[in-house]
Structures are given as C-alpha cells and as structure tokens.
Amino acid sequence: MKRIDNIFDKIASIENLQLADAKAQKGKSNQYGVKLHLRNQEQNIIDLHNTLLNGNYKTSTYDVFTIYEPKERLVYRLPYYPDIITHHAVMNVLEPIFVNTFTKDTYSCIKGRGIHKLFYTLKKGLVNEDETRYCLKFDIKKFYPSIDHDILKSLIRKKIKDHRLLKLLDEIIDSAPGLPIGNYLSQYLANFYLSYFDHWIKEQKAVKYYYRYADDIVILHSDKQALHNLLSDIKQYLKALKLEVKDNHQVFPVAARGIDYVGYKFFHSHILIRKSIKKSFARKMASNPNHASQASYLGWLKHCDAKHLTKTILKDEKL
C-alpha cells in the first residue's frame, strides 16, 4: 500500500484554512466563538497558518460536560478558533483519503452513506431470505473512550508518512482520553480505527451481508452456528485493538424478531419504525405539536411500511 506524503502544506495553506473556516461556520453564525473570531478573521487565519507551518499548534482546553440523551456520556467541546477551523482544514484534505480506505459497508459520518443509504442496502440484502435467515447484532463497549492512541497512530502510519501531518494528528489524538465525543475529527478517526477490521470481515472472513454504523454492527447469514463461530473470531480480533464486544450481543432468527437497527425494525417482508421513535412522536404531538416535528417524523416514516400511521399524522395535521 502506497503511503501518502507531502500534503501538510496543502492543509496549512491560507486557501484551505479559509475554506475550512467557511465550512465550519455553517449553521453556527450566532455562536459566541464564531462572532469572536469574525472580529479579527483575516489576521486569525494568517496566525493559524503560521502556527501550523511552525509546528506550534496545540489543542486548546476542552469544555467537558455530560449529556443524558439518548444515553449518558461525556461530550468534549473545543473553541471555534483555532481548533474547529484546524480540524476542518485537516478533513478537507484527509476525508477522501480516509473514505478511500473504507469498505462500502461503512455508513456513519460519510457523505452519501448515512442512515437511509444503510436502510436501502440492508433492505436489498434481506430480499435473499435463504442467505439472511439469522442475524448477529452487536456493538462495542465504550467504543470512543476505549480507542487506544498508540494503535490508532500505528494504523494512520500505514496510510500516511508526512511527518508534519503525523505530528499534528498525534497532538490532536493525545489531547484527550480515547477519542472525545463532540470532537469533529473523532468521528472520522473512529471509522478509520475499524477500517482494517471491516476489510478483514469482508475479505478474509468472506462475509457477504455486513453493515456497520459507527460501532453498531449487523451481520446476516444462513447458518446460526456460523455466526456464533464468527462472533468468537471477532472478539479475538477486537481484543487486539483493545476493544470489547458488549455482553448484549445477539444471534437470532430474523423472521421471529426482526432487526432493530438505525431507527427501524427490519423483517424480510416488511420494515417498521422503531417502537421508541413512534412513542416519542406520539408524546411530541400530544405535548407540543408543530409542523417541523411532523415533517421530521414523516421523513422517517416515508422509508418504511407505515401507511396507517402516516395517514393518522396527516389527518391530525389538517384538523
């Protein structure tokens, strides 16, 4: 595999930093950090350009807080300038390089490969009922906090040899334990951390029906025992990455239970909206009905078999 070199100057260029600034500002014009940056925007970009070229960039102090929905977890937030701009500048150049390493079965945080792309790919796979009778479903215990810095750096060095870029990435990676949730670069680095695992699954284990959304993984097969055997091998592989499969992993017949995944429940013959989303919508409509909420849920419903529920929503909207 050819390693990539001589791209740091492109990342640190004034033009790329200006582009990163423009992208990072989208939807954030009212944020204090953006407003503060705009007071001295041109000089800030020049200063950041020089800081990167001189190798003096240091990650700012994180603002760390806890969120409780959809589950309790720590979120790390960095200042808009210089950090968020820097992260966008890195990803302007590295994103196509990272995406090129991913298999087509990786969906989270990749342009054109979100939930609905996964939805239709899984739906298409389930057409072959004989080959998809059983499902192995699992996710990884404390995935982001468990990512090992030394392993991640070694994986990155398989792809990149530009020493100045590696120094910058090392600095960002070592700025917090694991990969901090809320950090713009984390979602791409997390995907990359599992990219060689994806290739192992597809190419060495010859798994045909494989779907990964972040660390939430579904594998389909005709043979239940084959999935149990595969799970054992997966645990060993992930152990080398210092990752652990959660104890709530399941192997089950699709026809009997359906696959509860990315907001839907998939069967061979039909697809339903996840019950918790349906209940959440009902509560929202009862407490604070508005057009934006209706449009959001209708967007979910249009992809699955929910004609009766959709008619009910539209009827209530007209009342």
Side-chain angles (χ1 to χ4, degrees), residues 140-152 193-194 234-245:
I140 295 170
K141 185 177 181 180
K142 298 183 185 292
F143 176 47
Y144 274 69
S146 298
I147 289 176
D148 182 87
H149 290 185
D150 290 336
I151 294 173
L152 176 57
Y193 196 75
L194 288 179
I234 285 171
K235 288 180 177 179
Q236 289 302 310
Y237 189 104
L238 293 178
K239 187 177 181 180
L241 292 176
K242 298 189 178 179
L243 299 176
E244 183 180 348
V245 174

Side-chain angles (χ1 to χ4, degrees), residues 160-192:
I160 296 168
K161 65 177 180 179
D162 186 320
H163 70 277
R164 290 186 296 166
L165 175 55
L166 290 172
K167 179 184 176 183
L168 174 61
L169 291 175
D170 288 353
E171 205 289 323
I172 293 171
I173 290 168
D174 289 335
S175 65
L179 284 179
I181 295 170
N183 190 328
Y184 179 64
L185 261 175
S186 291
Q187 55 194 7
Y188 295 96
L189 292 174
N191 258 340
F192 184 74

Side-chain angles (χ1 to χ4, degrees), residues 178-314:
L179 284 179
I181 295 170
N183 190 328
Y184 179 64
L185 261 175
S186 291
Q187 55 194 7
Y188 295 96
L189 292 174
N191 258 340
F192 184 74
Y193 196 75
L194 288 179
S195 61
Y196 292 94
F197 168 75
D198 296 335
H199 283 280
W200 173 77
I201 284 282
K202 295 296 292 183
E203 295 155 18
Q204 295 190 37
K205 305 305 289 184
V207 173
K208 183 176 181 181
Y209 300 100
Y210 172 72
Y211 312 87
R212 178 168 72 80
Y213 192 86
D215 66 316
D216 198 354
I217 296 170
V218 161
I219 299 174
L220 306 176
H221 201 278
S222 60
D223 185 345
K224 183 178 181 179
Q225 187 57 48
L227 289 177
H228 281 290
N229 295 340
L230 178 61
L231 176 60
S232 179
D233 292 342
I234 285 171
K235 288 180 177 179
Q236 289 302 310
Y237 189 104
L238 293 178
K239 187 177 181 180
L241 292 176
K242 298 189 178 179
L243 299 176
E244 183 180 348
V245 174
K246 277 188 184 177
D247 290 337
N248 63 353
H249 56 77
Q250 308 165 59
V251 175
F252 58 90
V254 174
R257 294 176 48 184
I259 306 165
D260 192 343
Y261 198 39
V262 294
Y264 297 95
K265 197 155 190 177
F266 294 81
F267 295 86
H268 291 108
S269 59
H270 61 286
I271 303 169
L272 304 175
I273 195 75
R274 180 180 286 163
K275 188 177 290 186
S276 61
I277 294 178
K278 181 179 176 180
K279 289 182 177 179
S280 175
F281 174 73
R283 288 194 297 268
K284 183 70 176 179
M285 290 299 98
S287 63
N288 185 28
N290 60 71
H291 181 73
S293 295
Q294 289 173 341
S296 173
Y297 282 98
L298 286 171
W300 279 88
L301 294 175
K302 72 179 181 180
H303 297 283
C304 64
D305 299 286
K307 289 183 180 179
H308 177 73
L309 183 57
T310 302
K311 285 181 180 179
T312 301
I313 294 169
L314 293 176

Side-chain angles (χ1 to χ4, degrees), residues 35-53:
K35 291 180 177 179
L36 189 65
H37 163 65
L38 290 177
R39 295 175 188 171
N40 198 31
Q41 183 181 26
E42 185 175 347
Q43 189 59 50
N44 281 347
I45 294 298
I46 293 171
D47 290 345
L48 180 54
H49 167 72
N50 290 328
T51 297
L52 290 169
L53 288 182

